[in-house]
Amino acid sequence: MKLVRDKIPQVIVEDGRKPIFHYATSREYKRELFRKVIEELEEFREEPCLEEAADLVEVVHTLIESHGFSFADVVETGMAKAKLLGGFNRGIILDSVE
C-alpha cells in the first residue's frame, strides 16, 4: 500500500489489470504524504536527476498545501529567512559553539 499519482489506477486498467485502491482519509493522506516525501528523497539521493527532483518538489508542494499553507507563502517566508540568516549554499558545518 502506498500513495500514488492520481492517474495510476487508470493506467493500470489500460494495461489490462485491475487496481485495488481506496481514497485516503485526511489523516491517512497526510501520513502517506510524509512517507512519499521520504521515498522521493531516497530516489533523488540514489539518482539525482531532473525527473526525481521534480517528483520530490511535487510531493513536498502537495504536503505543504495539505496543511493549509500556500506554496507562495512558503517561498516568501523562506526568502525572508534567507535574507535574515542566509541560505545553505556555502556548505557551512557548525561543529560546536563555545
Side-chain angles (χ1 to χ4, degrees):
M1 178 177 76
K2 72 176 188 173
L3 183 65
V4 296
R5 291 178 175 272
D6 296 341
K7 293 184 180 180
I8 293 298
Q10 176 184 337
V11 169
I12 293 169
V13 168
E14 290 170 359
D15 192 40
R17 298 177 295 155
K18 181 181 177 185
I20 308 298
F21 67 95
H22 69 278
Y23 290 97
T25 64
S26 177
R27 184 176 177 186
E28 180 182 27
Y29 181 54
K30 289 177 183 176
R31 183 187 72 229
E32 293 304 315
L33 280 169
F34 278 109
R35 287 184 183 166
K36 195 69 172 179
V37 167
I38 294 166
E39 175 188 331
E40 296 299 344
L41 179 59
E42 287 297 322
E43 289 176 5
F44 182 69
R45 181 173 28 192
E46 290 173 15
E47 185 183 347
C49 64
L50 199 52
E51 184 175 307
E52 295 300 341
D55 289 347
L56 178 58
V57 169
E58 184 174 357
V59 74
V60 167
H61 185 202
T62 304
L63 178 62
I64 288 165
E65 288 187 340
S66 79
H67 282 84
F69 304 114
S70 79
F71 196 69
D73 287 343
V74 171
V75 169
E76 185 178 315
T77 301
M79 289 171 51
K81 285 186 79 170
K83 185 176 181 181
L84 179 65
L85 300 171
F88 296 95
N89 300 314
R90 293 176 47 199
I92 296 172
I93 306 295
L94 184 64
D95 295 315
S96 65
V97 177
E98 295 179 356

